[in-house]
Amino acid sequence: MTPSIVELRDVHVVHKARSGGLFGRDHVHALTAADLAIAPGETVGIVGESGCGKSTLAKVLVGVQRPTAGSVTFRGDDLWATASVRRRTALGAGVGMIFQDPSTALNRRLTVRQIVRDPLDVHRRGTSAERDGRVRELLGLVGLPKALADVLPGQLSGGQRQRVAIARALALEPDLVVADEPTSALDVSVRAQILNLLLDLKERLGLALVFVSHDIQTVRRMSDRVVTMYLGRIVEETPAADVLDRSRHPYTRALFSATPGLLDPIDPIPLIGPVPSATRPPSGCPFRTRCWRADDVCAGTMPDFEGAGGHVFRCHHPVREDQSTHDLVREVAVQEAAPATLRA
């Protein structure tokens, strides 16, 4: 098998919160027991509700966030066991990141040329003339005219600023690019352009791409594999072609049922239970407070991963592979209509 570019093993990220009162602090469990490997050339989509840990996972992948526990391996080396200079050099050259809002991700006091050239200067790639040539090459690669090299970000449209951010992420020819909600701050009219650009660059340059987004249908279309997160945990990994109709975790089915479809419209699967807190996660399966299939087993233990062949999930009562989302909508309706004594 081809070695992974980056691999996470049992990674935890815990933040201290200010809500613990005068004499203590709560702890936010942003990421819990995350295992994930990114292979060369593949596109992995990360989906889940706000606050589920998607951005934290992205920051761990690019080395911005140090795990509280667990290991991150980059090209075979334990990232956080190496010297800081070596770590910064390896990540700076091997990983690029595209942030959500290009208006805040770009230094408004620098010209486009300076922004795109900055990684080349920091890592001392080539001569000054070669760096300027690389800037011109990168601007052409992302579809920007060379005349924009000497303008400031404030003079550009949102789509143009995101193209500059993409050019900067590609400056050092990374093997992996992590895009954290790269189109959510853009107008609808330019989102498709940026998404098509990312797909084109991935194919042309042989990049591995991690695509984090709330737009789960876009993630499905762009990805080879879809990772579903809930309350800081990875609860399912599904081949993108199967995620809509053959995903096994109830939460994944509920997520994709909430996206309207024109060809085969269905009612969304309702999630009506209480949303748990990341400072005090529930025992057992974290989704049990909103799951219509939950029982005492779900409250007692967190399920292990099941499945094979690139499709794994963590659920005590998974959806059958041949069970349609239409059937699940009816199943939830029957469950909700039952008397409370029977549901108990």
Side-chain angles (χ1 to χ4, degrees), residues 18-333:
R18 295 182 177 179
S19 57
L22 183 63
F23 300 104
R25 287 188 172 186
D26 285 335
H27 291 82
V28 178
H29 298 267
L31 203 61
T32 303
D35 294 305
L36 183 66
I38 310 298
E42 76 166 334
T43 299
V44 177
I46 312 292
V47 298
E49 295 168 297
S50 295
C52 72
K54 301 189 300 296
S55 292
T56 300
L57 179 64
K59 291 175 182 178
V60 170
L61 287 171
V62 299
V64 174
Q65 175 68 60
R66 181 169 188 160
T68 307
S71 65
V72 182
T73 303
F74 181 75
R75 289 174 176 164
D77 293 329
D78 188 335
L79 201 58
W80 295 99
T82 60
S84 59
V85 173
R86 181 180 175 185
R87 180 173 63 252
R88 288 194 297 267
T89 300
L91 288 174
V95 179
M97 187 161 187
I98 305 166
F99 295 93
Q100 179 175 352
D101 188 354
S103 63
T104 58
L106 304 179
N107 190 328
R108 62 184 180 180
R109 296 183 177 85
L110 300 181
T111 65
V112 168
R113 184 191 311 276
Q114 291 171 312
I115 290 170
V116 177
R117 178 171 160 154
D118 184 59
L120 301 168
D121 291 337
V122 170
H123 289 268
R124 300 176 183 177
R125 288 287 183 89
T127 64
S128 179
E130 288 171 338
R131 294 173 194 174
D132 284 336
R134 177 62 175 160
V135 170
R136 291 191 294 270
E137 177 187 348
L138 287 164
L139 292 181
L141 192 64
V142 299
L144 288 175
K146 297 178 179 61
L148 294 181
D150 295 313
V151 306
L152 297 172
Q155 299 172 268
L156 302 176
S157 68
Q160 288 174 326
R161 286 195 291 266
Q162 195 61 295
R163 289 174 187 266
V164 173
I166 293 171
R168 179 180 62 182
L170 297 175
L172 297 174
E173 301 178 275
D175 295 322
L176 170 66
V177 170
V178 178
D180 186 8
E181 301 275 5
T183 61
S184 63
L186 303 178
D187 292 339
V188 174
S189 59
V190 298
R191 289 180 185 179
Q193 299 174 21
I194 297 300
L195 293 173
N196 288 334
L197 173 63
L198 288 172
L199 286 176
D200 179 61
L201 292 172
K202 167 190 156 50
E203 295 300 325
R204 290 171 62 182
L205 305 177
L207 298 170
L209 177 64
V210 174
F211 187 80
V212 179
S213 180
H214 283 92
D215 188 345
I216 55 181
Q217 292 291 2
T218 297
V219 168
R220 181 175 67 90
R221 289 191 292 268
M222 290 190 64
S223 305
D224 302 311
R225 179 162 49 111
V226 176
V227 172
T228 306
M229 296 190 66
Y230 186 81
L231 203 68
R233 287 186 181 270
I234 294 174
V235 297
E236 186 164 19
E237 294 183 32
T238 322
D242 297 338
V243 71
L244 190 60
D245 299 316
R246 303 181 69 182
S247 52
R248 305 293 304 279
H249 200 284
Y251 178 62
T252 306
R253 288 292 188 100
L255 267 184
F256 280 88
S257 74
T259 303
L262 297 178
L263 297 180
D264 187 24
I266 59 174
D267 294 327
I269 298 173
L271 301 177
I272 61 174
V275 179
S277 169
T279 60
R280 296 175 178 84
S283 63
C285 174
F287 184 57
R288 67 177 177 83
T289 62
R290 303 169 72 192
C291 182
W292 65 96
R293 294 186 165 196
D295 59 15
D296 291 343
V297 175
C298 304
T301 60
M302 179 66 195
D304 294 328
F305 273 112
E306 298 182 38
H311 187 176
V312 294
F313 52 91
R314 303 185 79 158
C315 183
H316 289 299
H317 308 294
V319 178
R320 295 197 319 271
E321 199 171 50
D322 62 348
Q323 193 170 8
S324 72
T325 304
H326 289 282
D327 292 339
L328 290 179
V329 172
R330 289 190 290 268
E331 178 183 301
V332 176

